[in-house]
Amino acid sequence: VGLVSEHFSQAPQRLSFYSWYGSARLFRFRVPPDAVLLRWLLQVSRESGPACTDAEITVHFRSGAPPVINPLGTSFPDDTAVQPSFQVRVPLSAAPRSNASVNVSHPAPGDWFVAAHLPPSSQKIELKGLAPTCAYVFQPELLVMRVVEISIMEPDVPLPQTLLSHPSYLKVFVPDYTRELLLELRDCVSNGSLGCPVRLTVGPVTLPSNFQKVLTCTGAPWPCRLLLPSPPWDRWLQVTAESLVGPLGTVAFSAVAALTACRPRSVTVQPLLQSSQNQSFNASSGLLSLSPDHQDLGRSGRVDRSPFCLTNYPVMREDMDVVSVHFQPLDRVSVRVCSDTPSVMRLHLNTGMDSGGSVTISLQANKTEMQNETVVVACVNAASPFLGFNTSLNCTTAFFQGYPLSLSAWSRRANLIIPYPETDNWYLSLQLMCPENAEDCEQAVVHVETTLYLVPCLNDCGPYGQCLLLRRHSYLYASCSCKAGWRGWSCTDNSTAQTVAQQRAATLLLTLSNLMFLAPIAVSVRRFFLVEASVYAYTMFFSTFYHACDQPGEAVLCILSYDTLQYCDFLGSGAAIWVTILCMARLKTVLKYVLFLLGTLVIAMSLQLDRRGMWNMLGPCLFAFVIMASMWAYRCGHRRQCYPTSWQRWAFYLLPGVSMASVGIAIYTSMMTSDNYYYTHSIWHILLAGSAALLLPPPDQPAEPWACSQKFPCHYQICKNDREELYAVT
C-alpha cells in the first residue's frame, strides 16, 4: 500500500488564562483528501522563574469549524444546539516542557481547528509591567499519512480485492441527490477461516462527534451489506477493508457500491430570472435546472422511478458583511410544506469563511393553515438532507446527527441557533405529518415563513456585551466579550450579573468620586498655582466622562469616542501626579513650567506606545520624585535644618498626604478585582485627589513692590522695584 507522509506546523503562541473565547489561541490546519491518519504533536513550554507555577493546558479539537468550548460552565442562549468539544489536557508540573500526542484515524478532509488555553483566570486586575509574569507557550504540529494507491468503485461494478497483511483502500463518489448508498461484499473466499473475515470502515472521523460506520462481516448473513441512507452529497466516500485472518492468511472478495437516486421536484423561478440585472446574488442554480430525467449517478447508477422524494426550493445567498449572510427563497417569502415529500432548502456555508459565526434559523407557520392534528417537522443537517420523515423523526443521516424542529397549532414558531457551523452545504428539510391519522394530511398544505441568517454574534451580544471580530492569519471568527458580570456565549447568563441599581451605583461612584479633585483645584487657585489647577480640572473632567462611558448596559454616557476618553483620562492622571511632585520641589518658575511641558509630552508619547504599561507612566513620576528629593536635600544642606522647616507642615500636610498616596497606590496595584473595581477605583480617585490637595506647597511669600534696602541719616532711601527692575532715590 502506497502511503506518503506530510508534516505541518504553525508558529508557537503564548497562552492566556481563560476569561472569554478570545483568550483561547486558535490554530487552523488543512487536511488533504485521502488521509488515513492524523498525528497531532502538542508541545507546551514555560519560562523558568518564581512566577511560573504548575498549570494544566486544555486543548480542543474540531473538524470543519472552531470548537465550541465552555470552560466557565456558563449557559447558552435558548434554542442553541451545542455539542461538547473533544479535548485533551496537557499538565505542566516540575518540567518546563511537556508533550502530548493525539491520533485520529480516517480523518475528514478539510479544515481542522485546534484551540488551547490555560485554566480560567482570576478576577484580580494585574497591572502590566508591575508584577512578574510567566509565559506559557503552545505549538501544535501535524503529521498526515495519506494513501496514494486507492481503488475507485464505480456504481454497480464489482471491484475484486485481495487482502493480505495490509488493508485495502477504496473510495466511491456520491453525487448530488443520492438517496441511499448500499455497500456489499460478494464472492468472499478465505484460506484461513470460515465465512468472510473482513472489516469495513466507511466514512471519515469528525470530532467531537463521530458517525463512522464499521461493518464486520465475520458471521454476518451472506452477502455482507451496509446500507447508508442520505450519504453526504457531492464528495468522495472512503472505504477501508481489513483482513481479520492474521498476517499469513488471504481474503478475496468483490466490493460493489449501489447508488439510489432521488427524484427532486424543482420549483420554477422564471419571473425572477427576468428581473433587473442590477441585483447581485449567489443562487443555488443547480436546484433550478435539475430535472428527474437528468440525474447522473455514474455509469450504471439506479434512478428511483417512484414519486418525487423531495421538493427543491432555490435559495439566494446575500453576503452582507464579514461573517454575515442572509438566505432567502428566491421567489417567495414562505415555503410550501405538504405531506407527500419533504421541502428542502440548501444553505451554502462552504466558502471556508462562514464557520466563524452563528447560523440562526427561525420558522413560523401560517396560523390559519395549522390544524390541531397537523405537525410540521423540520430537520437541519449538513452534507445531505434528511429525507426519511415517513420512517423516523430522529434527523439522522449517514454521517450526521441533525437538529430537529417542530411546528404545531399550539407552537407555531420554532428557532434554532448553531454556533460555529461546519464548513459544508447545510440543508433544511420540512414535511407535514399527522401522527393520529395520516389521511388528514393528504390534502393539507402549510406555508412556513423562514428567516435564515449567518451572523457574527447572536443579537450583537446584547446590551451587556460587545461583538469582537478575531483573526487567525486570514481566518476570521467572532466572539462576545461580556460586561457587568454577564457571561455566556452571547452574554445571556445573568447568574453573576449586576442589577440595574448596581450598575447605576457603580457609575455614580466612579464619576462622582472625581469631584474630589475640586479640593486640589481650590487649593491651587488660592495659592496662585493656576497651571496646576488647570491640570487637575482636565483630569477631573475626562476621568468623569471616561468612567461614564466605560460602563455597560443602561448607565452609560459617551461624549467622545471611548478610545479618546480613555487616552485623555490616562494622560490627565499621569500629568496630575507629575505637576504635583514638581510643584513640591519649589523650582524656579521658568524651570518648573519647562519641566511641566516636557514631562507631559513624554507621558503622552509613552501612553501612545503602550497605554497600559505601568512603567511608561511610573518612570516620569519617579524622575520628578528624584528632582524633588534633590531640591529638598539641597535646601536642608544650605539652611542646615530640615526642609520643610515647620513641624506643622509635616504633621498636618505632608505625612497625611503621603499616607493617602501610599494607600491609594497599594489599592490600585494589588487590591482591585473585576468584582470590586467600582468602589476600589473610586477610593483611588478620592485618595489621589486628596493627597494632591495636601501635598501642594504653600505659596511663595511675595515681596513688597518697593523694597527699601538701605536708609541714610539724611532720611533718603535706596529702593528697588522687583517687578520693573528700576532704582529710585526717595
Side-chain angles (χ1 to χ4, degrees):
V1 178
L3 296 175
V4 295
S5 61
E6 299 177 1
H7 190 266
F8 304 92
S9 179
Q10 293 191 15
Q13 292 195 62
R14 181 171 178 172
L15 298 180
S16 299
F17 290 95
Y18 189 88
S19 59
W20 65 296
Y21 199 90
S23 306
R25 298 295 176 259
L26 189 67
F27 300 84
R28 181 190 185 193
F29 290 88
R30 185 75 178 178
V31 175
D34 301 330
V36 295
L37 177 65
L38 296 185
R39 181 177 177 85
W40 303 93
L41 179 61
L42 312 177
Q43 304 178 17
V44 182
S45 62
R46 70 180 181 192
E47 296 177 345
S48 58
C52 295
T53 59
D54 296 346
E56 188 177 56
I57 288 84
T58 305
V59 186
H60 306 263
F61 298 85
R62 192 184 180 194
S63 168
V68 179
I69 62 178
N70 189 18
L72 302 178
T74 57
S75 63
F76 285 82
D78 296 335
D79 306 316
T80 302
V82 180
Q83 296 179 354
S85 65
F86 176 82
Q87 63 184 31
V88 297
R89 300 183 185 274
V90 184
L92 264 181
S93 54
R97 292 180 177 272
S98 181
N99 295 328
S101 62
V102 176
N103 295 335
V104 180
S105 300
H106 309 288
D111 292 334
W112 280 73
F113 292 85
V114 179
H117 60 83
L118 290 168
S121 62
S122 63
Q123 298 297 319
K124 185 177 179 180
I125 300 177
E126 300 284 352
L127 296 180
K128 183 178 179 180
L130 184 62
T133 59
C134 181
Y136 298 87
V137 180
F138 174 77
Q139 182 179 20
E141 295 183 358
L142 176 61
L143 177 65
V144 179
M145 299 295 296
R146 185 166 58 88
V147 62
V148 294
E149 296 181 4
I150 188 167
S151 302
I152 297 178
M153 303 174 62
E154 297 186 8
D156 296 326
V157 177
L159 181 64
Q161 294 289 309
T162 301
L163 296 180
L164 300 175
S165 58
H166 298 288
S168 178
Y169 297 100
L170 318 171
K171 66 178 181 180
V172 57
F173 184 77
V174 181
D176 282 344
Y177 307 104
T178 300
R179 187 170 189 171
E180 292 178 344
L181 170 61
L182 177 64
L183 297 175
E184 183 177 311
L185 299 186
R186 301 176 182 174
D187 306 327
C188 186
V189 178
S190 172
N191 64 353
S193 64
L194 298 176
C196 187
V198 177
R199 179 170 60 211
L200 287 182
T201 304
V202 183
V205 170
T206 58
L207 297 178
S209 301
N210 180 21
F211 294 93
Q212 188 182 58
K213 301 297 187 295
V214 179
L215 175 65
T216 303
C217 293
T218 301
W222 189 256
C224 188
R225 295 176 177 176
L226 177 63
L227 181 63
L228 299 175
S230 297
W233 290 357
D234 194 27
R235 70 195 61 192
W236 291 95
L237 187 63
Q238 191 178 97
V239 180
T240 303
E242 299 174 89
S243 174
L244 301 178
V245 298
L248 300 180
T250 60
V251 180
F253 63 90
S254 295
V256 182
L259 302 173
T260 302
C262 174
R263 299 183 64 205
R265 179 191 292 118
S266 299
V267 176
T268 177
V269 290
Q270 294 300 325
L272 183 66
L273 298 179
Q274 300 173 1
S275 63
S276 173
Q277 299 298 321
N278 295 330
Q279 298 180 354
S280 175
F281 55 85
N282 177 14
S284 53
S285 57
L287 301 178
L288 304 180
S289 59
L290 211 54
S291 64
D293 297 330
H294 292 81
Q295 299 297 317
D296 183 10
L297 292 180
R299 181 177 301 173
S300 53
R302 295 194 301 269
V303 177
D304 191 355
R305 295 303 176 182
S306 60
F308 300 108
C309 65
L310 64 89
T311 301
N312 279 324
Y313 281 88
V315 176
M316 178 179 68
R317 172 188 167 117
E318 181 184 4
D319 292 281
M320 304 173 65
D321 205 337
V322 178
V323 200
S324 182
V325 181
H326 179 210
F327 297 96
Q328 59 181 346
L330 280 179
D331 62 338
R332 62 192 69 211
V333 177
S334 60
V335 176
R336 184 177 182 271
V337 181
C338 54
S339 61
D340 55 348
T341 59
S343 301
V344 177
M345 302 174 66
R346 178 186 295 187
L347 312 180
H348 291 276
L349 294 171
N350 56 353
T351 64
M353 299 301 293
D354 302 325
S355 58
S358 297
V359 173
T360 63
I361 298 176
S362 179
L363 306 178
Q364 184 173 1
N366 191 311
K367 181 178 180 180
T368 59
E369 297 175 341
M370 289 295 295
Q371 301 178 6
N372 294 335
E373 64 275 6
T374 59
V375 177
V376 175
V377 183
C379 290
V380 180
N381 294 73
S384 61
F386 178 75
L387 304 176
F389 289 101
N390 296 328
T391 58
S392 174
L393 299 178
N394 57 7
C395 296
T396 302
T397 57
F399 301 103
F400 190 84
Q401 174 58 57
Y403 305 105
L405 295 169
S406 63
L407 304 173
S408 64
W410 300 274
S411 177
R412 296 185 300 106
R413 180 183 293 272
N415 300 304
L416 177 65
I417 303 168
I418 305 175
Y420 294 163
E422 292 92 335
T423 298
D424 212 327
N425 287 324
W426 285 73
Y427 297 87
L428 172 61
S429 307
L430 305 99
Q431 188 166 342
L432 189 63
M433 307 290 293
C434 291
E436 297 181 358
N437 188 2
E439 296 179 356
D440 295 338
C441 289
E442 292 181 356
Q443 303 298 328
V445 174
V446 175
H447 288 81
V448 178
E449 296 183 4
T450 61
T451 305
L452 312 171
Y453 281 94
L454 173 69
V455 295
C457 303
L458 182 64
N459 295 329
D460 203 21
C461 300
Y464 300 105
Q466 182 180 9
C467 185
L468 299 178
L469 195 63
L470 308 175
R471 183 178 66 88
R472 175 58 180 166
H473 295 164
S474 60
Y475 180 75
L476 299 175
Y477 58 106
S479 181
C480 289
S481 177
C482 307
K483 297 180 179 180
W486 290 75
R487 305 188 303 169
W489 190 262
S490 301
C491 301
T492 55
D493 188 340
N494 61 353
S495 57
T496 61
Q498 297 178 1
T499 63
V500 176
Q502 289 176 327
Q503 296 176 40
R504 292 175 180 173
T507 303
L508 290 176
L509 279 174
L510 289 170
T511 54
L512 297 183
S513 60
N514 288 285
L515 296 179
M516 188 65 183
F517 277 97
L518 291 174
I521 292 173
V523 173
S524 301
V525 172
R526 182 177 178 82
R527 298 177 183 179
F528 298 101
F529 298 140
L530 301 183
V531 175
E532 291 83 342
S534 302
V535 173
Y536 297 143
Y538 176 93
T539 303
M540 180 183 68
F541 179 83
F542 281 104
S543 179
T544 299
F545 285 100
Y546 164 64
H547 287 291
C549 184
D550 190 40
Q551 302 306 306
E554 298 179 0
V556 58
L557 173 63
C558 296
I559 62 172
L560 295 173
S561 67
Y562 178 84
D563 187 72
T564 302
L565 291 173
Q566 184 187 67
Y567 181 84
C568 294
D569 173 53
F570 289 10
L571 176 61
S573 301
I577 300 174
W578 171 258
V579 300
T580 302
I581 299 176
L582 286 183
C583 188
M584 294 171 61
R586 303 297 290 267
L587 299 171
K588 291 185 178 181
T589 304
V590 175
L591 179 59
K592 181 178 73 171
Y593 292 146
V594 169
L595 290 177
F596 278 3
L597 180 60
L598 290 179
T600 304
L601 293 176
V602 171
I603 293 173
M605 178 196 67
S606 63
L607 290 176
Q608 181 64 29
L609 293 175
D610 187 1
R611 190 168 300 180
R612 297 191 178 275
M614 185 66 183
W615 289 101
N616 290 338
M617 184 181 296
L618 193 58
C621 296
L622 289 178
F623 180 70
F625 183 80
V626 170
I627 294 176
M628 184 199 72
S630 301
M631 294 302 299
W632 283 19
Y634 169 76
R635 290 189 177 94
C636 288
H638 182 69
R639 301 180 181 183
R640 300 193 180 279
Q641 59 180 340
C642 184
Y643 182 84
T645 58
S646 173
W647 68 269
Q648 293 92 340
R649 181 68 186 166
W650 284 97
F652 299 113
Y653 295 96
L654 293 181
L655 292 180
V658 172
S659 300
M660 293 178 67
S662 301
V663 173
I665 292 174
I667 293 175
Y668 187 78
T669 56
S670 60
M671 296 180 61
M672 277 197 290
T673 65
S674 300
D675 295 331
N676 65 13
Y677 172 80
Y678 65 94
Y679 59 84
T680 53
H681 199 79
S682 301
I683 295 174
W684 156 254
H685 288 164
I686 295 172
L687 294 177
L688 178 64
S691 64
L694 292 173
L695 294 176
L696 284 174
D700 296 331
Q701 294 295 331
E704 294 294 334
W706 288 92
C708 301
S709 60
Q710 187 176 1
K711 294 184 178 181
F712 294 94
C714 57
H715 305 291
Y716 284 93
Q717 299 177 355
I718 298 179
C719 300
K720 175 186 176 182
N721 189 328
D722 290 332
R723 297 180 180 176
E724 300 181 6
E725 297 183 357
L726 297 177
Y727 288 85
V729 178
T730 60

